[in-house]
Every structure is written in structure tokens, then in C-alpha cells.
Amino acid sequence: MFFAVQAFWVVLSNIPVLCCILMGCLCLFYPWSQVCEWREPEELAALLDLELRENGEPQHQLLQRIRDVAKYSVKTNHPRFFNQLFAGVDYHALTGRFLTEALNTSQYTYEVAPVFVLMEDEVLSKLRSLVGWAEGDGIFCPGGTMSNMYAMNVARYRAFPEVKLKGMWSLPRLAVFTSQQSHYSVMKAAAFQGIGTENVFKVKVDDRGCMIPEDLGETIELAKSQGAVPFFVHATSGTTVQGAFDPLEPIADICDRQGLWMHVDAAWGGSVLFSKEHKHLMRGVERADSVTWNPHKMMLTGLQCSAILLKDTTHLLKHCHSADAKYLFQQDKFYDTSLDTGDKSIQCGRKVDCLKLWLMWKAVGSKGLEERVDRKTFSSPIYLTYVFRFCSVEQPLFVNVCFWFIPPSLRGKENSPDYNDRLSKVAPVIKERMMKQGTMMLGYQPQGGRVNFFRMIVISPQLSHQDMTFCLNEIERLGNDL
């Protein structure tokens, strides 16, 4: 292990060289012209020879295994990968990811992870300051779903601290409020924590996908009339499909009046806080009690990098989750035991997720991250809107560009009784064709009363206007016979 880290350090002395070596190795494994090389599951399993055997394999065979893994995996760093809320690569963050793996430690005590305990504290503090909090708490979590679960759990603990000892039987029926377009993790959290999905009240949204505050107030009163006790409002900054930002100020007003915990799921949209030009999208976020933020999305730190941030300064996070394991969190250690942050977490072993973000931030600074949001992210949907020739679902508020491709056979037939049924079949067919030809990837989905439409996520710094024009031309090529 020592020699592995020493060798890594020699190469690390020149980060650009290291990154070129790493990415160069990957380029040897697959051609950058394709986003994926689709194979059916049975064929892929046979090609990879997945069976684990009694005896090991020679090195040349293992190298071929590595080449095959890279060859048949989806190239999420490809500029024409528009499928998810992550894409592209930052080479400084990538270097941090390799170093994290080489050091192989767990983020629970200062004695085993001294560098990363201090580093996590600094990064979380900086993220909180962008939210608008001078003080607070937080922790890195394995993904936005877990961060949202933490928020709901801590909110319940604040309202009913007896739940930790006595469980749900001691509580009244609880009510959670979220928009119709919020992330499905709200439902998962309610199910996981025993609150129940029937006690998640969905608040109406406008045509852009933003929560309607007036309906939130009415829905809270409805829940009360049914004997439920409201405790948690889950707002969203950057919804998964439309990229909508809920109006936080009026939502905060309602939470203040009702005494409810206000959580903002900014897993997707949180990075606008770096931008003086675009942070208005989250106006009022400083009034929230907690915020989820995923730097592995727009900030390109790589999976996974998610934080739950809290305004609280009374150690609710630790009081809610601590189990006081005597073999880890001894109180008679020779250093300040408040540095042992592991009892804030529901995990024991916890991966170091702060290094890649810290190293990238050190490299480009807050100004560099602001430029990435302003010029390399928001400029792409603006360009797409300018050259667009398909049917937009709504004018994009963010970097989610949603649209229908209307094939020649359906043009001018919007009033036909089977129009929507036929249109709903267009996106799945085009998606299948693009995947099997490997030219690009973007997602599709229905939503509410809208039949299947494409959702194109444009965040990769490697993305060019030429790539976006290619995407539009390719959809037309793949769907012109439909």
C-alpha cells in the first residue's frame, strides 16, 4: 500500500500528465466515436465471461478483461451523453478520486482519517456559506436520496425526539408535503422511516413544474382535517425532468407560520449558488432548515458526492443518529473527540467523498466554478433554444431541455383521435435505435398528461455547439420513417 501511494505521488506531481495518462489509457480501450456498444444481456454476459472460477488468470487475460469492461460500458464522459443528471469529467476531481481509492480509509474518526475530517469540515462550511448560513452542520452522504432521507429523519426527531427510543407507536399520524414533480426519494424515505407513502401529500405544480405555494397551504389544512400532523415540507431546486425551481420565499413563509421543517432538495440545482447571474433561482434558500446538494452533478466531481447541509447548531444530526459505539467513539481519547464525526451518520464505514471536490475547488477556485455554471452550462440550452426545430414541452428554466420529435407521419395531425397514442411511441423507438447504433444517449419519459417526450441534459464541459446540432440531426435521421 505504501509503495502504491508513493508511486501515485510521483505521478501526481504533474496533475495534467496524470490525467492525460489515465484518460489516454481509457481511449485505448474504446473509440470515442460511440457512446455505447449495445449488446443484449445474454450476448454481453458471454463476451465478458463473468463466471468466477477456482484458479486465477494470467495478467494478459486480466488486461483484456479491463479492455472489455471499458469497451462495453456506457461512456458517460462522451460529449453526446445527455441521458442523466451527470456527464463529462473534471480532471482534478478525477485525480482526487484515484487518490481516495489508493488511500482507502473510512471517514468516521480523526484518528483514522485526520486529513479528511478537517477537509470535510472545510468543504461543508464553504457550501453552507453559499447557501447563506454562517454556522450549521452537515455530512457527506452516499447520494441525494440518502441526503433527503437524513433531512426527513432529523426533522421528525426535532418534532418528536421520543421516536428514537420508543419508535413510531408513540407518534401521531405524520404528514409530509412535496410537489407532484419532486424526486421519488421522498416516497422512499416515507416508506423506509415508517411514515407511510399514503402520508406524503403531493402539492400541485404550474406548467413549468414549480410548486404552487397557495396549494401547499390548502394541502396542509387538508392533512390537518384528516387528523394528520404536518412536520416536513420538501421543496425542490431543479426537478429531475423539467429542471423546475420551487418558489422558496413563499414556501418559507408558510413553513414559518406553521412551524414546519423546510427542506430544499437542491441535488440538481444547488450549483447555481456559485453564479451571481443565476443564484436568484434559489432566492430564499437561506430560510430553509436543510439542503441537499450533489456536486457530482453539475459540478462534475464524479459519482458520488452528495451533502446534506443543516442550519441547526444544536447537534441534531448527531443526537438523532448516534449509537455511542465504545470501540470507535471513546470519550477519553488524547485529542478533541468532537472531531470524530462518524456518529452523525447512519453508516459505520463511510467513503471519503470530499477530496475530489476539495481538489477541484482548489484548482479552479470559486470563480472558475462560477464560470462553469454561467458559460459552459447555461449557454448550451440557450443555443439549443436558438436552433431548435422540434416541439418544446416548455421554455427551459435550467439545463433540462424537454421536447417531442414529431415524425413526418404525424405533422399537421394534432387533432387526430389517435395522435397522442402514436406520438407516445416515437421516443421509445428513437431511443432504441440510438442505443443500438451507439451514436448518443438521451432520456425520455411521460409526465402528468404529457405523453413520452425527450429530456436532454446539457452540462458536459466537453459539449460543443456541433455536438448539440448533431443530436438534433440524429434524432431526425433516426425518426424520419416513423
Side-chain angles (χ1 to χ4, degrees):
M1 173 63 184
F2 172 77
F3 295 108
V5 174
Q6 287 292 95
F8 187 90
W9 184 255
V10 171
V11 184
L12 189 64
S13 61
N14 192 325
I15 289 179
V17 171
L18 171 64
C19 294
C20 286
I21 291 172
L22 296 173
M23 297 308 293
C25 289
L26 290 178
C27 286
L28 290 176
F29 295 152
Y30 56 77
W32 277 103
S33 59
Q34 287 192 300
V35 178
C36 63
E37 290 203 24
W38 176 260
R39 295 292 187 277
E40 295 297 333
E42 298 80 6
E43 181 187 3
L44 181 59
L47 285 168
L48 295 174
D49 187 15
L50 295 172
E51 182 185 352
L52 299 173
R53 302 180 178 87
E54 289 293 321
N55 297 318
E57 295 181 340
Q59 187 171 3
H60 75 273
Q61 185 64 59
L62 294 176
L63 288 173
Q64 185 58 48
R65 302 288 187 213
I66 294 170
R67 293 188 187 96
D68 289 342
V69 167
K71 178 179 181 180
Y72 295 111
S73 292
V74 174
K75 317 307 184 294
T76 63
N77 296 334
H78 196 292
R80 293 173 186 169
F81 176 82
F82 308 102
N83 206 67
Q84 312 298 146
L85 304 186
F86 61 88
V89 60
D90 178 276
Y91 298 115
H92 299 97
L94 181 62
T95 303
R97 291 156 70 184
F98 276 93
L99 183 55
T100 296
E101 295 300 321
L103 292 171
N104 189 41
T105 193
S106 180
Q107 181 104 37
Y108 43 37
T109 63
Y110 183 78
E111 64 182 279
V112 77
V115 172
F116 301 124
V117 165
L118 299 180
M119 185 181 291
E120 181 179 60
D121 182 66
E122 172 61 24
V123 174
L124 291 171
S125 176
K126 198 71 174 179
L127 292 174
R128 286 195 302 268
S129 72
L130 290 168
V131 171
W133 302 333
E135 298 179 283
D137 204 350
I139 198 170
F140 277 90
C141 304
T145 291
M146 289 301 300
S147 295
N148 290 336
M149 285 185 175
Y150 270 90
M152 189 181 294
N153 203 39
V154 173
R156 182 178 62 177
Y157 178 81
R158 186 187 71 169
F160 301 97
E162 64 272 22
V163 70
K164 183 174 180 180
L165 294 177
K166 297 181 179 180
M168 287 295 292
W169 71 270
S170 64
L171 304 187
R173 177 190 172 195
L174 301 181
V176 171
F177 304 87
T178 191
S179 88
Q180 293 171 332
Q181 291 196 19
S182 66
H183 193 258
Y184 65 82
S185 58
V186 183
M187 302 294 282
K188 284 180 174 284
F192 186 78
Q193 294 174 25
I195 293 168
T197 57
E198 288 186 355
N199 296 313
V200 177
F201 290 77
K202 296 293 184 72
V203 181
K204 294 176 183 176
V205 298
D206 60 23
D207 290 340
R208 300 171 303 161
C210 306
M211 182 189 288
I212 301 173
E214 293 78 11
D215 192 63
L216 171 61
E218 293 173 7
T219 307
I220 290 172
E221 295 307 317
L222 174 65
K224 287 180 178 179
S225 72
Q226 296 176 359
V229 177
F231 80 103
F232 185 77
V233 173
H234 178 109
T236 308
S237 289
T239 57
T240 306
V241 177
Q242 286 185 260
F245 286 74
D246 290 341
L248 301 182
E249 287 281 15
I251 292 172
D253 290 340
I254 293 170
C255 291
D256 285 348
R257 287 197 300 268
Q258 300 276 358
L260 306 180
W261 184 288
M262 177 180 169
H263 175 65
V264 177
D265 178 3
W268 180 214
S271 297
V272 301
L273 293 174
F274 278 100
S275 168
K276 297 180 185 68
E277 183 179 352
H278 299 291
K279 66 181 181 180
H280 67 88
L281 291 168
M282 291 183 64
R283 185 177 293 116
V285 66
E286 72 282 354
R287 299 177 63 188
D289 295 289
S290 56
V291 173
T292 289
W293 189 343
N294 284 11
H296 68 237
K297 292 182 175 174
M298 185 175 285
M299 291 173 69
L300 310 179
T301 58
L303 291 161
Q304 57 195 8
C305 188
S306 176
I308 175 66
L309 308 172
L310 288 88
K311 186 190 294 183
D312 172 71
T313 58
T314 66
H315 307 292
L316 274 175
L317 194 59
K318 182 175 181 179
H319 294 323
C320 180
H321 299 126
S322 64
D324 299 319
K326 302 304 180 186
Y327 62 89
L328 268 181
F329 307 115
Q330 306 93 330
Q331 295 305 298
D332 55 357
K333 291 182 179 180
F334 62 92
Y335 59 83
D336 180 1
T337 55
S338 68
L339 294 168
D340 291 350
T341 56
D343 237 4
K344 295 180 182 181
S345 171
I346 60 172
Q347 301 168 250
C348 179
R350 187 162 64 93
K351 188 178 178 66
V352 173
D353 286 328
C354 59
L355 173 57
K356 51 198 169 190
L357 175 54
W358 178 86
L359 190 60
M360 179 183 70
W361 206 329
K362 277 285 193 182
V364 303
S366 298
K367 288 185 177 180
L369 295 174
E370 179 179 19
E371 181 180 351
R372 180 174 294 172
V373 172
D374 288 343
R375 293 180 176 80
K376 295 184 178 178
T377 300
F378 273 88
S379 64
S380 296
I382 292 170
Y383 172 78
L384 269 177
T385 303
Y386 178 72
V387 300
F388 217 58
R389 54 186 184 274
F390 299 152
C391 183
S392 296
V393 173
E394 288 289 339
Q395 185 77 6
L397 291 172
F398 195 33
V399 295
N400 307 42
V401 181
C402 299
F403 60 92
W404 289 281
F405 171 72
I406 313 298
S409 65
L410 289 178
R411 292 170 192 167
K413 299 181 179 179
E414 291 80 5
N415 296 323
S416 300
D418 62 346
Y419 178 81
N420 280 335
D421 182 59
R422 293 172 64 188
L423 181 60
S424 70
K425 296 177 172 63
V426 172
V429 172
I430 294 177
K431 176 65 179 280
E432 179 182 358
R433 291 176 178 179
M434 74 173 70
M435 290 286 293
K436 290 184 174 179
Q437 295 180 33
T439 53
M440 61 182 188
M441 280 182 67
L442 66 157
Y444 73 87
Q445 64 286 300
Q447 187 183 59
R450 296 168 171 141
V451 299
N452 284 326
F453 57 88
F454 286 110
R455 182 200 65 173
M456 184 176 177
I457 303 297
V458 284
I459 57 169
S460 173
Q462 285 79 39
L463 184 63
S464 67
H465 289 174
Q466 183 180 12
D467 291 313
M468 288 184 280
T469 301
F470 171 86
C471 177
L472 301 182
N473 290 337
E474 182 68 357
I475 289 173
E476 203 153 20
R477 183 186 74 83
L478 294 170
N480 253 340
D481 65 334
L482 297 177

